[in-house]
Amino acid sequence: MADALLYLTERDVVSALNIPRAIDALADMLVAQAREQARNLPKTLATWGEGSSMHALGSVQTGQGGYAGFKTWVHTKAGGGSVFSLFDAETGTLRAIIEARALGMLRTAAISGVATRALAPADATQAALIGTGPQAVTQLAALAAVRPLRQVRVFSPTPEKRRAFVNSVAAKYDFEIVESPDLAHALAGAQIVTLITRAVEPFIDAAMLADCRHLNAVGAILPAKAEFGQDVFGLADEVVVDDLENARKGSRELRERFGSDGAPWQGVSVLGQWLADGKTRPSEARLTIFKGMGMGLSDLAMARVVHEHARAHGLGVALPPQTRENLLLAQP
């Protein structure tokens, strides 16, 4: 099976990856990017109909044992799907086809974990999680993995959904998880705030973040959407993104603040370079903002771990290797 083309399911993904492992793998990949040992292909997307969209992300890690890969996905009102194609960067051989829903949730949470570990106050114990959709579960796990939390307040607009979310996760952690009746209650006292919503218009302003010291804004990744208002930037000492080019294309918040005309963005840092430089949170910082847009290297970091774990433990469905001879034999 070592040389086989593997088909790996969602079950294979979650058996190979937990949040701490995902965070460490992604941090290593970001440092490799900063050292020019890995690179992204910019995100491409197209939209049609009433909210339907298709997306593609690519990336490559060079050097011995390197990989290249693409995640592609489609979203419609009726549903969607995603897959990651993993290639050997030296030979170009297709190594794995990986179902990518869990992969995407883990990498989105992992980037928040990496950013929170690098940017949030080390002693932060109070957090707010805004949004209770499927990705909120892993976002909560990422916060718990990197900070000594005592309480997390949770809010989303639908009482039944947020109550169900709190009930489903409360027993998994040794800190208090509280259902907030409104946004103000959730944000009061929160030193770390994570936004993982489907908001179209900004719903957070500077006054609401009176106690916040680090903000993860990872829900709005299309140029028509935003989660926080422009006055929040007035509080920020540092603004950090996962990928500058993707932020230029897709972040409404940053485009409105720093411009959409192609001019250089002054005052915006890239997380990978921050890590490679060994930077830490400024001691007197009022607020740090992390804007995560999603990038190919995040998925590649996850896919590499999953593939190598699958090979080592005999997971996945082995398919015939993709060779020229096989393709020719398949011809009529």
Side-chain angles (χ1 to χ4, degrees), residues 149-215:
L149 299 177
R150 294 183 180 176
Q151 185 184 78
V152 176
R153 295 185 180 185
V154 177
F155 177 76
S156 65
T158 307
E160 295 79 11
K161 289 183 178 180
R162 67 175 183 254
R163 191 167 303 122
F165 175 84
V166 171
N167 290 339
S168 70
V169 299
K172 298 178 181 179
Y173 297 98
D174 58 4
F175 51 83
E176 186 180 22
I177 301 176
V178 177
E179 178 198 350
S180 289
D182 53 49
L183 195 55
H185 179 271
L187 296 174
Q191 299 156 295
I192 302 170
V193 174
T194 294
L195 310 178
I196 185 70
T197 75
R198 295 181 177 178
V200 175
E201 296 298 329
F203 62 93
I204 296 285
D205 61 30
M208 296 177 179
L209 298 176
D211 300 312
C212 183
R213 296 297 174 262
H214 175 69
L215 174 66

Side-chain angles (χ1 to χ4, degrees), residues 228-247:
F228 64 89
Q230 291 297 296
D231 62 347
V232 172
F233 287 109
L235 304 176
D237 299 274
E238 298 285 347
V239 178
V240 181
V241 299
D242 55 350
D243 184 79
L244 191 57
E245 190 162 359
N246 286 340

Side-chain angles (χ1 to χ4, degrees), residues 1-7 86 94-97 317-322:
M1 184 178 287
D3 295 323
L5 167 61
L6 294 180
Y7 186 90
L86 183 70
L94 181 62
R95 293 300 188 193
I97 300 169
V317 177
L319 303 175
Q322 186 199 39

